[in-house]
Amino acid sequence: MKISIASGKGGTGKTTLAVNLAAYLALEHDVILADLDVEEPNSGLFIHGNKTYEQAVYRMIPEWDSEKCSLCSLCTEVCAFHAISRVHDDILVFPQLCHSCYACSELCPVNALPMVQKKIGTLKQFESGKLTLIESILDIGEEQAIPLIKHAIRFADESFPEETIRIFDAPPGTSCPMVEAVKHADKVILITEPTPVGLYDMQLAVETLQALQKAFVVVLNRYDIGNSHISEFCRDKQIPLIATIPNQRKIAECYSRGELLYHTIPEVKKALDQILEYFQIPLQASRVSKE
């Protein structure tokens, strides 16, 4: 099973839920937690393991060969992203705009735009018992997160057995990086908070997931602040609200120390049990706790 944990906005508890759910499942199951918030990954602050693998990640961009170029300008016409421009007798390539579609390189009649590698980030793998953390970090100055997110998902799929549970900690918001992180998932958990901003951004996330035709549920964090509009929205739209997490100072204190919550905070453990029960994922620790 692949579960993406997403949110319409930052700061709703997405990483908190992802790391605790992954660590809780890893008590008995083989679990991969892929931190796909590649611009600012922070799952590694909570999951402490041994680094077992590291690799540089590249994407392909065109490189102009002035000696071969006939200045026909075909490349500037076929580039849908305006990543290539002609200025007098020079062809300029803008790597930040390039989407590695290969159109300019493949259609160039004199092969003057060969594709070359450009480093965009680093992927690291950490092991902690049955839990594997995959952390991808975008290089400073790089603007496109999607190629690195795609690489991390492909690495998780190809490097581990199919029966391994995969949890994707998605980037916040509803833009392209979030879409890339959720479109491969079997289930999506939207975590939000009961505030006007939380409701507005969740509505955007719901519209995005509905357009993608993805099955999703909602977890409500800090449910005892704000108002009841989130609950009413879920009820009116028939969206499953499967768990709630209270607003507690102790949760904030544990989080600030980089600690997992389900060990010491019963309400968080109860919320994780409710999620596992909804997804029908067996966990002996969950049954023992209920008894």
Side-chain angles (χ1 to χ4, degrees):
M1 180 179 289
K2 299 178 185 179
I3 303 172
S4 280
I5 300 177
S7 60
K9 62 183 288 293
T12 59
K14 177 175 54 63
T15 296
T16 302
L17 179 59
V19 297
N20 280 275
L21 181 60
Y24 191 40
L25 277 168
L27 294 175
E28 298 176 15
H29 299 278
D30 291 325
V31 179
I32 297 169
L33 171 61
D35 193 338
L36 303 182
D37 189 3
V38 299
E39 295 182 73
E40 44 185 353
N42 57 3
S43 295
L45 299 175
F46 305 90
I47 305 297
H48 308 290
N50 299 316
K51 185 169 70 173
T52 58
Y53 182 75
E54 180 174 343
Q55 68 171 197
V57 181
Y58 301 84
R59 67 185 180 97
M60 305 300 291
I61 63 169
E63 183 177 77
W64 181 51
D65 187 336
S66 59
E67 295 183 0
K68 290 184 178 180
C69 184
S70 62
L71 295 174
C72 68
S73 298
L74 178 62
C75 55
T76 65
E77 297 172 9
V78 301
C79 181
F81 306 101
H82 306 290
I84 300 180
S85 178
R86 177 180 173 179
V87 179
H88 300 298
D89 292 337
D90 290 319
I91 298 295
L92 304 181
V93 177
F94 302 97
Q96 295 85 355
L97 299 178
C98 177
H99 283 59
S100 305
C101 72
Y102 281 73
C104 61
S105 181
E106 294 292 332
L107 296 176
C108 178
V110 293
N111 299 317
L113 285 164
M115 301 296 284
V116 298
Q117 288 186 331
K118 182 180 187 297
K119 184 174 179 292
I120 59 171
T122 304
L123 180 144
K124 300 178 182 180
Q125 176 182 327
F126 300 88
E127 301 288 343
S128 178
K130 288 180 172 291
L131 176 59
T132 299
L133 171 64
I134 297 173
E135 181 182 72
S136 296
I137 306 173
L138 195 68
D139 283 351
I140 294 175
E142 288 295 322
E143 299 183 4
Q144 293 190 34
I146 293 177
L148 190 54
I149 294 173
K150 285 183 177 179
H151 181 86
I153 294 173
R154 185 167 60 250
F155 180 83
D157 286 342
E158 296 176 354
S159 303
F160 300 90
E162 185 177 352
E163 61 271 16
T164 305
I165 298 173
R166 290 159 171 79
I167 296 177
F168 299 146
D169 184 3
T174 56
S175 60
C176 296
M178 177 268 202
V179 170
E180 188 65 35
V182 302
K183 73 180 186 181
H184 303 275
D186 302 309
K187 302 287 185 181
V188 178
I189 299 175
L190 277 181
I191 183 165
T192 188
E193 58 189 11
T195 62
V197 176
L199 174 62
Y200 177 78
D201 288 333
M202 191 191 79
Q203 289 173 324
L204 296 178
V206 167
E207 292 174 4
T208 301
L209 293 173
Q210 288 175 337
L212 294 171
Q213 298 182 336
K214 303 301 297 186
F216 65 95
V217 297
V218 170
V219 171
L220 183 58
N221 192 21
R222 295 189 281 271
Y223 73 87
D224 44 1
I225 66 171
N227 51 48
S228 61
H229 293 169
I230 294 284
S231 301
E232 295 169 0
F233 176 81
C234 291
R235 184 172 59 251
D236 293 341
K237 300 295 183 180
Q238 297 183 329
I239 300 171
L241 176 57
I242 63 172
T244 58
I245 300 173
N247 181 53
Q248 291 185 2
R249 181 182 177 88
K250 187 177 181 181
I251 291 177
E253 291 174 349
C254 290
Y255 181 89
S256 66
R257 293 192 295 265
E259 299 175 0
L260 296 174
L261 305 177
Y262 70 89
H263 298 294
T264 56
I265 300 175
E267 293 87 350
V268 173
K269 191 170 185 294
K270 179 182 177 182
L272 298 180
D273 288 337
Q274 291 171 331
I275 294 171
L276 297 185
E277 183 177 357
Y278 183 85
F279 289 143
Q280 298 181 345
I281 302 176
L283 192 68
Q284 184 64 34
S286 172
R287 293 194 293 270
V288 170
S289 67
K290 291 179 181 179
E291 293 174 0

